[in-house]
C-alpha cells in the first residue's frame, strides 16, 4: 500500500493569520513523482513512486480550505505568501515579537496622553474646581482660617500745642507709633446655601506685638472725641439746650483735649459721656460702654456676611451678597453709596476671567465700598500679580467723582480727599482720608503742622494674582479725622474753631503669605503652566519616536534579515532529522516489509521566489 508522510505540515493557525501567512495572490508549486525507477541516493535507501503514474500537486487554496487543492485532499500548507505590514511590525519571522508589540502599545498610549495634555485645559479646570468655595476645597481651608500674618499698625497724632491751638495757632502734630497688633482671624458659624452662597461671622483676636512696636503706654494728647462730638451737634439743638450742655460740661470739668495712653485710645477707656450715650441713646445709635477707636474689632463680630462661592460663575467670586440679611448698606440711602458687591479681602474675581480693570473692597471700618484700579503687572516672590491702587478721586467732592455725592451731608461743603463716615460712628463727625492727607485738598494739609504725605507709605494698594484672585500682598491705609463744628455757646470748647482734626491713621493687611500657601500658588500659576506644556510635547515626541523606531526596525528586518522561508525550511530539516533518527532506530521492525527512501525536491524549486521546500516520504508497494 502507498504510504506518504509530510514532515512539514503547518496548518493555518491563528498566528498564521496575524503574521499574514494566509491570503490570495500566491503561486502554485508542483512537485511530481514518477513511477519510473528513479533512484535517489539518500542514506542508502531507494525511493519509488507508489501506485499508478499519478501526479501530486501542492496548490494554495482559500483561507478556509486547509491549504489543499487539486486531486490530493491532504495537500501541503501555504508557506510562500509575503508578510503584511502588521506582521512586519509585530513579528520577527514567524514569531510574534512581544517587545515590539509592547513598544507600539506604549508609544500609542504616550502619544494620546501627550495630545490630551496639550489640547484639554485640565489644569484650569482643576484650579477653578478647587478655587470655588465649598467644603474641603483648598480655597475653603485658606479662606476659613488663612493663617497668614495679618498686622494692624496704628499711628497716633500727638498734639504738642493744645493751648496754642485754642488760642488760634495751627496744631502741631507728632506721629507716634507704630503700635503693632497681630490679627488672628477666622470665619465662624459657616453655613452653605443652595443659591451658591456661604454665610459666616468674623472672629478676630488682636494681640499686641511689642517687638515691632513702641511702648503701648506712651502718653498721648488728643482731642476729646466724645466731648467734641456732643458740642458739634449743639448748634442744631438751640440756644437754651446749648447753654444747659455748657453748664453741665463746665461743672464736670470736661476739656477739649485729654491725656491718655495709646493703648487706651485704641482699645478703650472709661468716659462719662460715652456711658450716658450707651444708656440713653436709641438702640441703633447706641455706642459701646467705653470709648476706643478699635474697640469693636476684637472678638466675634456681630455682622453676618454672605458671599458668593463662585459655583455660578467667577465674575463675582468672593463678593458680598448680603450683610445681616440686607442686600445694601443701611447707612446710605442712594446708590452707588449703599452697594455691597465687593470683596471682604480674602478673594477677588480673577482678572484673567473678568478682563476687568476694577475690583471692589468692603471694610466695615470704612463704612463703604472702595474701588481698586489696575495699574500694571508686578511680581511678588516669583509669582506674577496685578497691582491695584486706590484711585485719587475715591474720597471727596462730587465734582471730581459724581459717585461721591451721596456720601456728603447737606450742611457740609465736600473737599477732595475727605470722606464722611459719621453714620457708621454713632453720629460722631468722623471723616476718613488717606494718611497725612495724601492726595487730599491742599487746604487740609496746610491747616496743620507735622504731616508729610508719601506715596510709598500712605497709599492703599493690593497685589492680586490674576489667575486665582488671591491677594499676595495688600495694605489698606486710612486716616481718621474729627470734623469739629464750633460751639460758641458751650464754654469748655468756645475757642475750638471749625476744624478737621487728624486723630490717627492705621495700616492693615498682609505682607507675606505662609510658605504652604505660597508653594500652592507657585505650583498652580508658575510651575504647572510651564512644566505641563513641556511634558505634553515630550510625551508626543516620545510616542512618535517609539512608533518610528519600530517602523525602522521592521523595515531593516524586511530588507536585511533572513527570508522567513529559510526559517521554515530549517524547521523542516530539523523535523526530517528527527524522522531519520526514528527510522534508523526502528528499521529492524519493518525491514522485511518495506524500504524507505527520502525524496528531496530540486534546488531550483526550493529557492524559486521565496517558495518553501517540502520534503516528502513515499512508500513503494
Amino acid at each position: 500500500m502507498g504510504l506518504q508522510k509530510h514532515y512539514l505540515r503547518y496548518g493555518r493557525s491563528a498566528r498564521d493569520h496575524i503574521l499574514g501567512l494566509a491570503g490570495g495572490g500566491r503561486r502554485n508549486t508542483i512537485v511530481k513523482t514518477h513511477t519510473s525507477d528513479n533512484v535517489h541516493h539518500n542514506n542508502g535507501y531507494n525511493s519509488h513512486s507508489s501506485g499508478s503514474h499519478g501526479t501530486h500537486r501542492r496548490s494554495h487554496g482559500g483561507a478556509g480550505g486547509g491549504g489543499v487543492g487539486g486531486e490530493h485532499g491532504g495537500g501541503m500548507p501555504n508557506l510562500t505568501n509575503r508578510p503584511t505590514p502588521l506582521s512586519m511590525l509585530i513579528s520577527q519571522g514567524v514569531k510574534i515579537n512581544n517587545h515590539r508589540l509592547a513598544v507600539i502599545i506604549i508609544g500609542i498610549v504616550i502619544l494620546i496622553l501627550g495630545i490630551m495634555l496639550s489640547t484639554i485645559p485640565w489644569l484650569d479646570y482643576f484650579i477653578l474646581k478647587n478655587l470655588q468655595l465649598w467644603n474641603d476645597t483648598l480655597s475653603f481651608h485658606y479662606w476659613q482660617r488663612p493663617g497668614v500674618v495679618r498686622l494692624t499698625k496704628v499711628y497716633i497724632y500727638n498734639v504738642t500745642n493744645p493751648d496754642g491751638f485754642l488760642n488760634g495757632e495751627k496744631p502741631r502734630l507728632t506721629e507716634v507709633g507704630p503700635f503693632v497688633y497681630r490679627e488672628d482671624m477666622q470665619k465662624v458659624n459657616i453655613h452653605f446655601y443652595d443659591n451658591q452662597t456661604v454665610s459666616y461671622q468674623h472672629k478676630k483676636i488682636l494681640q499686641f506685638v511689642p517687638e515691632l512696636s513702641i511702648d503701648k503706654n506712651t502718653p498721648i494728647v488728643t482731642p476729646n472725641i466724645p466731648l467734641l462730638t456732643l458740642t458739634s451737634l449743639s448748634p442744631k439743638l438751640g440756644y437754651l439746650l446749648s447753654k444747659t450742655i455748657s453748664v453741665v460740661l463746665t461743672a464736670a470739668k470736661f476739656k477739649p483735649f485729654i491725656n491718655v495712653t495709646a493703648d487706651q485710645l485704641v482699645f478703650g477707656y472709661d468716659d462719662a459721656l460715652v456711658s450716658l450715650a450707651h444708656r440713653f441713646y436709641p438702640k441703633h445709635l447706641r455706642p459701646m460702654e467705653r470709648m476706643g477707636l478699635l474697640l469693636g474689632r476684637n472678638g466675634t463680630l456681630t455682622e453676618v456676611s454672605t458671599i458668593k462661592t463662585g459655583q455660578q460663575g467667577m465674575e463675582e467670586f468672593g463678593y458680598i451678597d448680603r450683610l445681616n440679611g440686607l442686600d445694601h448698606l443701611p447707612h446710605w440711602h442712594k446708590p452707588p453709596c449703599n452697594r455691597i458687591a465687593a470683596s471682604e479681602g480674602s478673594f477677588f474675581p480673577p482678572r484673567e476671567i473678568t478682563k476687568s480693570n476694577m475690583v471692589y473692597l468692603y471694610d466695615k471700618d470704612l463704612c463703604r465700598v472702595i474701588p481698586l484700579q489696575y495699574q500694571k503687572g508686578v511680581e511678588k516672590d516669583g509669582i506674577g500679580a496685578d497691582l491695584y491702587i486706590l484711585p485719587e478721586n475715591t474720597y471727596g467732592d462730587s465734582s471730581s467723582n459724581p459717585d461721591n455725592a451721596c456720601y456728603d451731608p447737606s450742611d457740609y461743603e465736600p473737599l477732595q480727599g475727605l470722606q464722611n463716615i459719621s453714620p457708621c460712628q454713632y453720629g460722631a463727625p468722623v471723616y476718613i482720608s488717606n494718611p497725612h492727607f495724601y492726595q487730599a485738598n491742599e487746604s487740609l494739609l496746610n491747616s496743620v503742622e507735622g504731616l508729610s504725605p508719601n506715596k510709598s507709605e500712605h497709599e492703599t494698594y493690593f497685589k492680586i494674582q490674576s489667575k486665582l484672585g488671591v491677594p499676595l500682598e495688600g495694605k489698606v491705609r486710612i486716616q481718621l479725622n474729627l470734623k469739629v463744628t464750633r460751639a460758641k455757646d458751650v464754654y469748655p470748647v468756645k475757642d475750638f474753631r471749625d476744624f478737621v482734626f487728624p486723630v490717627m491713621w492705621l495700616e492693615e493687611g498682609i505682607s507675606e503669605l505662609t510658605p504652604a500657601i505660597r508653594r500652592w500658588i507657585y505650583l498652580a500659576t508658575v510651575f504647572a503652566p510651564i512644566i505641563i506644556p513641556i511634558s505634553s510635547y515630550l510625551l508626543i515626541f516620545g510616542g512618535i519616536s517609539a512608533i518610528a523606531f519600530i517602523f525602522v526596525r521592521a523595515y531593516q528586518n524586511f530588507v536585511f534579515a533572513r527570508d522567513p522561508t529559510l526559517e521554515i525550511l530549517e524547521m523542516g530539516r530539523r523535523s526530517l532529522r528527527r524522522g531519520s533518527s526514528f527510522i534508523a532506530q526502528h528499521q529492524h521492525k519493518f525491514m522485511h516489509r518495506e524500504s524507505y527512501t527520502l525524496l528531496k525536491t530540486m534546488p531550483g524549486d526550493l529557492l524559486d521566489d521565496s517558495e518553501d521546500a517540502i520534503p516528502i516520504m513515499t512508500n513503494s508497494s
Side-chain angles (χ1 to χ4, degrees):
M1 54 184 259
L3 177 64
Q4 186 180 51
K5 295 185 179 181
H6 301 279
Y7 288 99
L8 293 178
R9 184 182 301 277
Y10 299 98
R12 287 187 173 90
S13 62
R15 186 178 70 178
D16 295 333
H17 285 286
I18 294 176
L19 300 180
L21 294 179
R26 296 175 289 266
R27 296 194 308 271
N28 295 329
T29 302
I30 301 176
V31 180
K32 296 182 179 180
T33 56
H34 300 282
T35 57
S36 60
D37 297 334
N38 297 325
V39 180
H40 300 274
H41 298 281
N42 185 6
N43 295 330
Y45 293 98
N46 292 327
S47 175
H48 301 280
S49 60
S50 63
S52 63
H53 297 280
T55 301
H56 299 274
R57 303 173 61 192
R58 183 170 51 137
S59 177
H60 300 284
V68 180
E71 307 92 75
H72 194 59
M76 309 307 295
N78 170 31
L79 299 169
T80 63
N81 64 305
R82 287 194 174 275
T84 64
L86 178 61
S87 68
M88 291 170 54
L89 289 177
I90 64 174
S91 66
Q92 189 168 6
V94 295
K95 297 180 181 179
I96 292 179
N97 191 320
N98 293 327
H99 295 291
R100 286 189 189 177
L101 184 60
V103 171
I104 291 176
I105 294 175
I106 293 174
I108 293 174
V109 171
I110 291 176
L111 179 60
I112 294 175
L113 182 60
I115 294 174
M116 291 178 62
L117 286 177
S118 62
T119 57
I120 299 177
W122 66 269
L123 177 62
D124 294 337
Y125 173 80
F126 175 80
I127 290 175
L128 290 179
K129 197 68 176 177
N130 282 276
L131 189 59
Q132 296 167 349
L133 285 178
W134 205 249
N135 278 324
D136 294 328
T137 60
L138 293 174
S139 60
F140 172 78
H141 294 290
Y142 165 74
W143 169 80
Q144 193 267 334
R145 188 162 189 171
V148 297
V149 179
R150 185 183 175 100
L151 299 179
T152 299
K153 299 179 180 180
V154 178
Y155 300 84
I156 301 173
Y157 296 117
N158 181 50
V159 184
T160 60
N161 65 333
D163 295 332
F165 171 75
L166 295 176
N167 292 326
E169 297 178 0
K170 286 184 180 181
R172 291 193 291 270
L173 307 178
T174 303
E175 183 180 278
V176 180
F179 303 95
V180 182
Y181 299 86
R182 182 185 295 111
E183 185 176 288
D184 183 12
M185 182 182 66
Q186 61 177 311
K187 275 83 171 178
V188 296
N189 301 325
I190 299 172
H191 300 284
F192 287 94
Y193 299 100
D194 293 336
N195 63 347
Q196 314 305 333
T197 60
V198 56
S199 66
Y200 63 93
Q201 289 176 274
H202 270 122
K203 183 179 180 181
K204 298 181 180 181
I205 303 297
L206 294 178
Q207 297 179 333
F208 184 69
V209 185
E211 58 269 21
L212 299 178
S213 311
I214 67 172
D215 186 5
K216 64 180 180 180
N217 294 318
T218 302
I220 301 292
V221 177
T222 188
N224 189 336
I225 297 176
L227 173 64
L228 295 175
T229 298
L230 178 60
T231 59
S232 294
L233 296 174
S234 64
K236 301 178 182 179
L237 302 177
Y239 176 78
L240 291 178
L241 191 53
S242 297
K243 279 298 183 181
T244 303
I245 294 174
S246 176
V247 171
V248 173
L249 295 179
T250 303
K253 298 182 179 179
F254 282 95
K255 296 181 179 180
F257 290 95
I258 59 173
N259 294 300
V260 293
T261 65
D263 190 60
Q264 288 175 329
L265 181 62
V266 173
F267 287 109
Y269 61 91
D270 294 325
D271 186 271
L273 294 177
V274 174
S275 298
L276 288 172
H278 177 76
R279 179 173 299 181
F280 297 109
Y281 262 40
K283 187 174 181 179
H284 66 284
L285 294 176
R286 187 175 300 169
M288 296 186 176
E289 292 182 311
R290 308 177 74 207
M291 172 61 198
L293 295 176
L294 301 182
L295 186 61
R297 295 169 61 97
N298 232 348
T300 300
L301 306 185
T302 59
E303 188 175 67
V304 178
S305 302
T306 304
I307 67 173
K308 298 179 180 180
T309 62
Q311 298 285 331
Q312 293 181 338
M314 303 299 290
E315 289 75 13
E316 292 189 338
F317 170 59
Y319 274 10
I320 297 173
D321 183 60
R322 291 184 178 272
L323 283 174
N324 295 321
L326 300 177
D327 61 356
H328 63 278
L329 291 174
H331 314 298
W332 314 107
H333 305 294
K334 297 179 181 179
C337 297
N338 61 358
R339 64 170 294 181
I340 60 172
S343 170
E344 46 83 31
S346 296
F347 290 106
F348 293 86
R351 185 168 176 267
E352 285 195 2
I353 296 177
T354 64
K355 310 301 182 183
S356 174
N357 290 333
M358 299 292 292
V359 295
Y360 297 91
L361 176 71
Y362 171 75
D363 192 318
K364 182 181 179 181
D365 298 325
L366 303 179
C367 193
R368 61 163 291 181
V369 169
I370 61 171
L372 296 171
Q373 188 173 32
Y374 171 78
Q375 295 297 300
K376 60 180 180 179
V378 294
E379 191 172 283
K380 170 70 175 177
D381 297 330
I383 301 173
D386 294 333
L387 176 64
Y388 292 83
I389 66 171
L390 188 73
E392 184 176 352
N393 63 354
T394 300
Y395 308 133
D397 59 312
S398 57
S399 61
S400 59
N401 185 357
D403 292 342
N404 288 334
C406 48
Y407 289 117
D408 297 321
S410 57
D411 58 346
Y412 168 68
E413 181 181 354
L415 293 174
Q416 180 182 350
L418 201 63
Q419 172 73 60
N420 175 37
I421 62 168
S422 57
C424 302
Q425 302 297 324
Y426 313 106
V430 178
Y431 285 68
I432 60 174
S433 67
N434 287 322
H436 289 240
F437 292 125
Y438 171 67
Q439 293 181 333
N441 190 289
E442 290 186 1
S443 63
L444 295 172
L445 182 61
N446 294 332
S447 64
V448 298
E449 295 180 1
L451 300 187
S452 178
N454 183 285
K455 176 182 174 66
S456 61
E457 295 180 359
H458 303 139
E459 182 179 54
T460 293
Y461 72 92
F462 270 79
K463 295 178 182 178
I464 303 173
Q465 214 292 316
S466 59
K467 182 184 286 291
L468 305 180
V470 177
L472 307 181
E473 181 182 348
K475 301 290 177 62
V476 176
R477 293 159 170 162
I478 198 73
Q479 179 172 291
L480 299 180
N481 309 280
L482 187 66
K483 182 182 179 297
V484 180
T485 301
R486 184 182 182 188
K488 60 182 180 180
D489 296 325
V490 180
Y491 181 77
V493 295
K494 63 182 180 63
D495 296 325
F496 208 113
R497 59 189 181 272
D498 291 350
F499 201 82
V500 178
F501 214 105
V503 178
M504 62 172 288
W505 73 274
L506 58 90
E507 170 190 291
E508 58 179 350
I510 59 172
S511 298
E512 299 288 341
L513 298 174
T514 63
I517 297 173
R518 186 166 58 249
R519 282 195 298 269
W520 180 77
I521 295 176
Y522 185 86
L523 178 65
T525 61
V526 179
F527 182 77
I530 294 176
I531 200 65
I532 287 178
I534 294 176
S535 300
S536 63
Y537 298 146
L538 289 177
L539 288 174
I540 293 174
F541 177 77
I544 294 176
S545 299
I547 297 174
F549 173 77
I550 295 302
F551 269 98
V552 172
R553 291 299 300 270
Y555 177 78
Q556 291 176 342
N557 289 342
F558 178 74
V559 174
F560 301 108
R562 295 175 57 192
D563 193 327
T565 305
L566 300 179
E567 183 179 350
I568 297 174
L569 180 60
E570 183 64 27
M571 295 173 62
R573 288 173 177 170
R574 287 197 296 269
S575 298
L576 285 175
R577 284 196 293 270
R578 286 194 298 271
S580 299
S581 176
F582 175 81
I583 294 173
Q585 292 176 4
H586 298 84
Q587 58 181 336
H588 63 281
K589 295 182 180 181
F590 48 81
M591 196 68 176
H592 63 282
R593 290 170 23 189
E594 300 174 312
S595 63
Y596 285 77
T597 303
L598 290 175
L599 299 181
K600 294 184 178 179
T601 59
M602 295 302 293
D605 293 330
L606 288 174
L607 302 177
D608 184 15
D609 194 15
S610 302
E611 293 294 323
D612 302 316
I614 307 300
I616 301 174
M617 271 196 165
T618 60
N619 169 267
S620 60
S621 55

